[in-house]
Amino acid sequence: MVLPPLASLDQLASWMQRDRVELPAGAPVVLDVASDVVRREARQNFTRGTSSATLYPDRGAVVLPQRPVISVQSVRRGAELVPADRWRLVRDRVHVLGDQAVHVTYTHGYATVPGDVLAVVLTLAARVLGNPRDLRQESVGSVSVTYSAETIGASLAPADRDLLARYRRRVAVVKLR
């Protein structure tokens, strides 16, 4: 499933304090890549959507991977639909009896991209556009410019990772059978 970029070209132009027509032709691709990098780091889609996941209950609950959870459309055990009165949604967990795998279809995501996530996407995109040849240093005559290591490549700086840490699950428990 192809997800839309987490920021618009207008937002990027504003962030970079430029007019939209001044952005390079590759700016949409840079926004797509920056959005993918952020989603991968946070392990969240952020945009509103519907997903399905097959999960094993632990102590009577399954934790849905995408947040925030808006609603649950269905809970199934194999081909059998679990009646709505046999499970309940509490935040990002579906409480259901039994220890057999359940297949949950649910709606999740934010109505608008959170500000800190937007800032990381725009900062990453601006860094890539500001140093497209991944230079460490360049000199012309008596003028010399040195770029920080964070401006090289489409990677996240430690501060960016810190901002995204709150969206990422801290632990995962795998039950071996």
Side-chain angles (χ1 to χ4, degrees):
M1 165 168 78
V2 176
L3 295 170
L6 293 171
S8 70
L9 287 172
D10 289 334
Q11 289 170 317
L12 179 60
S14 178
W15 189 262
M16 295 179 71
Q17 299 179 7
R18 295 181 176 180
D19 288 327
R20 182 176 170 168
V21 295
E22 295 175 36
L23 292 175
V29 172
V30 171
L31 276 177
D32 284 339
V33 170
S35 297
D36 287 345
V37 168
V38 166
R39 284 181 170 119
R40 208 170 318 113
E41 175 65 24
R43 296 182 184 159
Q44 293 296 308
N45 290 347
F46 295 107
T47 49
R48 185 72 45 94
T50 300
S51 295
S52 293
T54 300
L55 305 160
Y56 286 90
D58 182 31
R59 286 175 263 162
V62 293
V63 179
L64 300 172
Q66 293 295 316
R67 296 176 312 242
V69 175
I70 308 302
S71 63
V72 172
Q73 283 73 42
S74 66
V75 177
R76 295 185 173 276
R77 266 208 178 91
E80 203 174 304
L81 185 65
V82 178
D85 64 347
R86 306 281 304 189
W87 59 266
R88 67 185 162 93
L89 174 66
V90 179
R91 287 191 221 136
D92 62 349
R93 298 173 191 277
V94 173
H95 294 268
V96 60
L97 294 176
D99 61 353
Q100 297 171 331
V102 291
H103 185 80
V104 182
T105 301
Y106 64 107
T107 302
H108 54 81
Y110 296 87
T112 58
V113 177
D116 51 353
V117 174
L118 184 61
V120 173
V121 170
L122 292 171
T123 299
L124 176 56
R127 280 197 307 254
V128 170
L129 292 172
N131 186 6
R133 294 183 294 164
D134 287 339
L135 299 174
R136 175 71 177 120
Q137 184 175 17
E138 64 182 324
S139 299
V140 177
S142 64
V143 176
S144 178
V145 176
T146 302
Y147 298 96
S148 67
E150 287 84 10
T151 65
I152 298 173
S155 60
L156 296 172
D160 298 332
R161 291 182 196 282
D162 290 346
L163 282 173
L164 296 173
R166 67 177 242 164
Y167 296 100
R168 191 173 188 172
R169 290 236 179 261
R170 300 271 190 268
V171 295
V173 176
V174 178
K175 199 180 235 182
L176 301 175
R177 294 180 188 259

